[in-house]
Amino acid sequence: MDETRHVVAIVDDDPRLLESMGDLLESAGYVARGFPSAGSLLVSGLSDLDVLITDIGMPGIDGFELRDLVRKSRPELPVFLITGRHEIADQGRAQGGSGFFRKPFDAQALLAAIDNALHQSRDGG
């Protein structure tokens, strides 16, 4: 059943980024689900997600905390971190996800990284 479309969750408190990322992912054949906060994603649940893309700098639960929470319940879920604050990008905490992107990021590079992560998880590692 290769017709199954992968579900990619985007968590960002910027509604314009949610919309543009959603459009990008949908155009690439993914099902995009946008969430304005980590809390709204956690309430919705993680069970049907194939990939998570989260902004780091958000009020409440930030992207690092969200990544760590997700790892506890879905350690196999690929998590990509994005940020517009470049001083954060240079911290060691930014490592340890499936990928890290600084805004503005290269859309094709992000799509390639998502595709690669999905193939790795499908192939068991």
Side-chain angles (χ1 to χ4, degrees):
M1 275 216 288
D2 284 343
E3 291 304 307
T4 303
R5 292 172 63 202
H6 292 287
V7 178
V8 180
I10 312 136
V11 182
D12 199 304
D13 56 344
D14 179 348
R16 293 168 309 194
L17 187 120
L18 281 179
E19 183 179 350
S20 64
M21 285 279 290
D23 291 346
L24 172 69
L25 293 164
E26 293 278 344
S27 73
Y30 297 107
V31 175
R33 296 213 180 121
F35 298 91
S37 68
S40 61
L41 169 71
L42 294 171
V43 167
S44 171
L46 306 170
S47 62
D48 62 341
L49 301 182
D50 296 304
V51 175
L52 171 61
I53 301 170
T54 182
D55 187 26
I56 292 174
M58 295 184 295
I61 300 171
D62 71 20
F64 292 125
E65 294 167 309
L66 178 58
R67 176 194 62 194
D68 295 343
L69 287 168
V70 166
R71 274 198 183 140
K72 290 177 183 164
S73 59
R74 293 275 316 274
E76 80 291 351
L77 184 70
V79 178
F80 293 91
L81 300 170
I82 55 175
T83 187
R85 298 187 354 225
H86 292 209
E87 70 279 4
I88 291 176
D90 298 323
Q91 292 181 6
R93 286 179 76 194
Q95 307 314 311
S98 295
F100 182 80
F101 293 87
R102 294 180 183 176
K103 296 176 190 173
F105 45 82
D106 180 316
Q108 294 309 311
L110 178 64
L111 291 174
I114 291 169
D115 187 58
N116 186 40
L118 287 168
H119 280 91
Q120 283 183 347
S121 65
R122 190 179 318 129
D123 296 338

